[in-house]
Amino acid sequence: MKIEHIGIAVKSLGLSDELFSKLLGTENYKQESVEREGVTTSFYQLGESKIELVEASREESPIAKFIDKKGEGIHHIAFGVENILEEIARLKNAGFQFISEEPKDGADNKIVVFLHPKSTNGVLIELCQEKK
Ligand SMILES: CC[C@H](C(=O)O)C(=O)SCCNC(=O)CCNC(=O)[C@H](O)C(C)(C)COP(=O)(O)OP(=O)(O)OC[C@H]1O[C@@H](n2cnc3c(N)ncnc32)[C@H](O)[C@@H]1OP(=O)(O)O
Ligand SMILES: [Co+2]
């Protein structure tokens, strides 16, 4: 497992892209919408990991709800795994609670699942695996 990306909830991808490209000294390498999740994402490479800026694309998006309650900030940590089905089985067996146990298409050529923050010390964890 490695930290694949850190997801940061932002109100305006335009403004945050300006800020993060200045901060990191590099441009994003892609912007991508994931309509099922109601998000638009922007990715920055940072060594072996990435920063994923996430903006809500509709009102009922998890990102809109999060920003309403907590404001902008770190929204999730994504662990990159080799075999997502094996990791789901291992973590389920260890008592962790998943939001859904079925991997779905995420951004940046990944399949993803999320663990509920209630079972992970209040941190939303994403598991992601490169699509084959
Ligand atoms: C997939 C595309 C992209 C990628 O990398 O490929 C992304 O990462 S998109 C990221 C956006 N998608 C998601 O966040 C999907 C998973 N999240 C969810 O299903 C929901 O947000 C969920 C279940 C975590 C919360 O939804 P719910 O409707 O239950 O919202 P509430 O506001 O009622 O929250 C309940 C409870 O959870 C706490 N919460 C919510 N979000 C987070 C968070 N990001 N980190 C930590 N805690 C969170 C919230 O504060 C509530 O706690 P409570 O103590 O009850 O007030
Ligand atoms: Co993510």
Side-chain angles (χ1 to χ4, degrees):
M1 250 195 222
K2 63 168 190 176
I3 295 185
E4 211 282 334
H5 65 262
I6 294 180
I8 299 179
V10 303
K11 288 182 185 165
S12 159
L13 213 46
L15 291 177
S16 296
D17 266 333
E18 253 181 59
L19 187 130
F20 272 84
S21 50
K22 234 184 273 173
L23 180 66
L24 301 174
T26 183
E27 297 294 314
N28 66 346
Y29 66 89
K30 71 153 67 167
Q31 226 185 64
E32 185 180 345
S33 292
V34 183
E35 259 324 299
R36 197 201 60 253
E37 291 287 329
V39 298
T40 309
T41 61
S42 178
F43 281 93
Y44 294 80
Q45 193 71 47
L46 199 63
E48 284 195 18
S49 301
K50 295 160 187 162
I51 296 289
E52 178 193 42
L53 303 182
V54 200
E55 178 194 66
S57 59
R58 53 171 187 266
E59 260 176 39
E60 64 286 10
S61 160
I63 297 300
K65 216 167 168 183
F66 179 86
I67 288 179
D68 273 355
K69 277 195 172 169
K70 301 190 181 190
E72 293 179 299
I74 294 181
H75 176 262
H76 64 274
I77 299 178
F79 297 148
V81 300
E82 290 294 323
N83 186 325
I84 200 164
L85 296 179
E86 275 180 20
E87 287 300 332
I88 293 170
R90 181 180 75 79
L91 293 171
K92 246 181 79 177
N93 209 30
F96 290 93
Q97 187 193 335
F98 284 82
I99 290 164
S100 158
E101 290 168 23
E102 189 199 336
K104 304 226 167 74
D105 283 351
D108 209 21
N109 199 41
K110 301 285 189 307
I111 49 173
V112 305
V113 289
F114 289 88
L115 281 87
H116 201 288
K118 290 209 157 125
S119 78
T120 47
N121 280 176
V123 180
L124 178 62
I125 304 287
E126 172 187 332
L127 300 183
C128 60
Q129 179 202 302
E130 203 78 38
K131 263 195 230 173
K132 290 184 178 149

